[in-house]
Amino acid sequence: MTRKFPVNGFLQSPNYEWQQQQQHQHSIPSRILQEKMVKNTNGTTFSSYEILCQIQPNTHPSGIFYGDNPLTHAFSLLLFHLILVSAITRIVRFVLKPLKQPNIVCQIIGGVIIGPSFLGRSKWYHRSIKPEAAQFLMSNLGVMGFMFFVFVYGVKMDPSLLRKSGKMHISIALTSITIPTIAVFVIGLCLRKMMDKELGSVSSIGVLSGYLGITAFPVLYHILKELNLLNSDVGRFALATALISDAFGILSVLAFEASQQGETRAENALWYLLSIVVIFAVLMGCLRPIMLWINHRTPEGQQIDQSLVVAIILGVFVMAFITDMFGIAIVNGPLWLGLAIPDGPGLGATLVHKTETIMNELLMPFSFILIGHYTDFFALATFDFKNLKALFLMVLTGYLLKFFVTWMATMYWRMPFRDGLTFSLIMSLRGQIEFILFVHLIDKKILNVPEFTMLVIVTTALTATFTPLISILYDPTRPYMLNQRRNLQHNPPSEELRIILCILDTESTNGLIHLLDVTNPTSNNPLSVSSLRLFELAGRATPLLIDHTKQEVPQIYRWTHTINALRSYQQMKQEFMKIQFFTGVAPKQSMFQTICELSLEQEASLIILPFINRGFYYHGVRRTLNSQVLENAPCSIAILVDKGLLESTMPTTGNSMRLNTQRFAVLFLGGADAREALVYADRMVANEEVSLTVIRFLSYNNIGDNEMEKKLDDGIVTSFWVKNERNQRVVYKEVVVKNGEETIGAIHDMNDGAFDLLIVGRKQGINPNILTGLSEWSQSDELGLIGDYVSSQDFIGSASVLVVQQQVLRG
């Protein structure tokens, strides 16, 4: 029930203190006090206020069985709107998925649907649900969502990367920021007479100009992660450039706040800046060293103390309160606290893991409800465009200049055309940080609802347009599509074989070192090994590829024991092998890009991977690192299924780690992969401690054979046999089979359980007739049908399996 009381006789001015407080309540849909200026018969002006009194119902309903409507109670409404906006967002995401729209666009649409532009226009919705009862709670939870958003990305950001920025990063960042900012600022000054007083102030024009010039790091990270471009060349370059842009963005917001404080009294601006310096000094001078000490003191693999995690999460609220108390934008405190916490594994990863789900699924929906609450298409439609013209010209100029200036800067630095265009589109993206600024400006009464609505529409439309263009223009795997042969079969004789050795965990290290040993590095066939240790990107935003000879490895990414083991083996093979060490940090979805990029840089002919069947889901499809490398690698790949390869042997004083003769077998089923596997085995059998059995499977009456593949197979087998026909350690057999059942039977017949290593081609060029009926039993496509079978637990013996795929030419 609502009652109205006309109150006359207030002689105070409209700027009376309690009224000012009401003007800062941005979450109330209608003013509690509505002022009317009235003149009495004596000509004296006084204020008449209409007081709206509304009965506040109980927070929780009594229950529908008592005739109570739960949707008239604040807490029930809170839960209802969380469910509603989450459901709408997911439906919109499903509908827009074919259009490659980022999640931020779907979230904004979900928030707008809840707001006055759609559901808010319905009289039934207001009568039955009464959203006003919970608006205050939802708005404040929305602000909390923005607080935790900037905190999480503050933790993920690594400010030390600013010191490592190159000239290209700095020049492009400065150019793409300064030119649009200056141009928009000049336009704003020229058109300020067309703006409202608050929007037309120099400080307001300045902050809008800065916003149109900068690119926010968290926005790019979020969208690039969705597009799986974080670890691409353009993605890493954009993140490094955006980090510089963010530094300018923070300074511009602080300058805006200082100028706002100084509009009342000049000394207010001084106190404001002094409070910033003190807060920042305490965080970076006291808190960050403590956090670093805690991170270093926590043993690898152990959990961070939960009480510390809870204390830091509570610290987010403390920092928000302190900055809000000093008149600093409320999100600055959580952001600075996040920057004070070391990124990466340990404390940073734990905090991100603990808070990200709560932030994304519980708090951020209310943030988008808050944005949707201020977005009103109908208010925009009835608003005089003349009042929006100046702001629209500023925004349009800023967005266009940002894109074209960035593109011109990339052309100056001779970035490839497609990459430069993609980079310019990426740097023009807008998202959560911009919406935080809009909410802040409407809270400060600088923007009104129509202006806010226009900014939301333009910003969302820009991101919705540019994101699919990015995915269309840029393919991160394009650089790996080579038509130059980099494989074992075509590696020039007597030249070093370049190998990328991928280490995913410590358990696989011994098997990989033994495989290097049986690869038989000699003076005639030396090896050059690039050993790459891969870490999952956690608690930080920027992928890393560290060359140990050029860069220092952060403490949290060191793998000293594995390096020492490899160096010990290298000392045994000094004149035959050289090893370089690299560390890669990347998301699971794009680790393959680190491997492929390094193989291109090192001009490798072979990538060696351990078989680890732990997968991940990307775009709803289960993938593994090995499957992605197999699809995109610019050279040949060998996957080791280690069942204890040479496990019982120990290093000797000689040149080999082997004590007894080792029995290897090649299952030659034909095709490019089988030929590559045979060439690899040929290197191994050059060692006198290795015996090799080659079994070639032929189709009955040559049914199903590809004539070209058959000729290539005959050539490589003949060459191998001519080379090794006098070698008593080499046995060659041929088996004729009709189908997959006979193929499996032949493998069983040759297997006596005493082989140490089975080498098999993956699948390229195999006659499908000799595999008939086997596909339905396959569990791991990355090993191929035969490789999957002989590596299974059902296969007799403890032989390790090496599955080889020859380079696929894609250029």
Side-chain angles (χ1 to χ4, degrees), residues 632-652:
N632 299 286
C635 61
S636 295
I637 306 104
I639 300 175
L640 175 64
V641 182
D642 184 21
K643 295 183 180 179
L645 176 62
L646 304 176
E647 191 176 60
S648 61
T649 63
M650 294 294 292
T652 66

Side-chain angles (χ1 to χ4, degrees), residues 762-805:
R762 182 169 173 251
K763 64 179 183 181
Q764 289 185 81
I766 299 178
N767 185 331
N769 280 20
I770 63 178
L771 299 177
T772 303
L774 299 182
S775 59
E776 59 190 57
W777 303 104
S778 177
Q779 296 181 350
S780 180
D781 181 64
E782 62 201 69
L783 297 179
L785 295 178
I786 300 301
D788 183 41
Y789 173 72
V790 297
S791 62
S792 67
Q793 297 297 324
D794 298 332
F795 190 71
I796 299 173
S798 58
S800 297
V801 178
L802 188 67
V803 178
V804 181
Q805 174 180 288

Side-chain angles (χ1 to χ4, degrees), residues 376-385 388 449-450 453-454 457:
D376 190 347
F377 295 160
F378 294 91
L380 179 63
T382 58
F383 198 71
D384 191 353
F385 181 73
L388 289 174
V449 170
T453 303
M454 186 199 72
I457 292 173

Side-chain angles (χ1 to χ4, degrees), residues 573-744:
K573 305 284 185 179
Q574 288 180 3
E575 65 272 29
F576 310 141
M577 175 187 289
K578 61 181 180 181
I579 301 180
Q580 294 176 274
F581 298 99
F582 297 86
T583 298
V585 183
K588 284 183 179 179
Q589 300 95 310
S590 56
M591 273 186 183
F592 77 96
Q593 294 177 355
T594 301
I595 298 171
C596 295
E597 181 181 340
L598 185 62
S599 66
L600 278 178
E601 180 183 317
Q602 300 296 314
E603 297 182 353
S605 296
L606 181 67
I607 296 171
I608 296 178
L609 288 159
F611 176 71
I612 297 178
N613 201 29
R614 294 193 298 269
F616 53 87
Y617 284 88
Y618 179 65
H619 287 173
V621 179
R622 187 181 182 277
R623 307 298 302 274
T624 64
L625 172 63
N626 292 349
S627 64
Q628 289 180 308
V629 174
L630 288 167
E631 290 174 7
N632 299 286
C635 61
S636 295
I637 306 104
I639 300 175
L640 175 64
V641 182
D642 184 21
K643 295 183 180 179
L645 176 62
L646 304 176
E647 191 176 60
S648 61
T649 63
M650 294 294 292
T652 66
T653 55
N655 288 333
S656 176
M657 298 178 69
R658 298 180 290 277
L659 294 176
N660 304 312
T661 299
Q662 303 299 311
R663 293 187 62 197
F664 296 171
V666 175
L667 305 179
F668 191 94
L669 284 84
D673 295 346
R675 295 191 292 271
E676 192 78 351
L678 185 60
V679 172
Y680 200 172
D682 190 29
R683 289 184 62 97
M684 298 176 181
V685 81
N687 191 289
E688 295 181 356
E689 296 171 343
V690 174
S691 66
L692 179 66
T693 300
V694 179
I695 302 176
R696 185 180 183 186
F697 294 82
L698 299 171
S699 175
Y700 179 74
N701 285 337
N702 297 325
I703 298 174
D705 280 347
N706 181 302
E707 291 300 324
M708 180 60 69
E709 292 289 342
K710 184 72 163 45
K711 289 180 181 179
L712 294 173
D713 291 344
D714 291 342
I716 199 74
V717 170
T718 302
S719 174
F720 171 80
W721 181 243
V722 168
K723 179 180 178 182
N724 294 283
E725 62 179 340
R726 296 184 180 181
N727 191 337
Q728 299 300 316
R729 293 176 288 105
V730 176
V731 176
Y732 175 76
K733 300 179 180 178
E734 291 185 350
V735 179
V736 178
V737 295
K738 296 180 179 179
N739 51 44
E741 183 180 353
E742 291 189 4
T743 302
I744 296 299

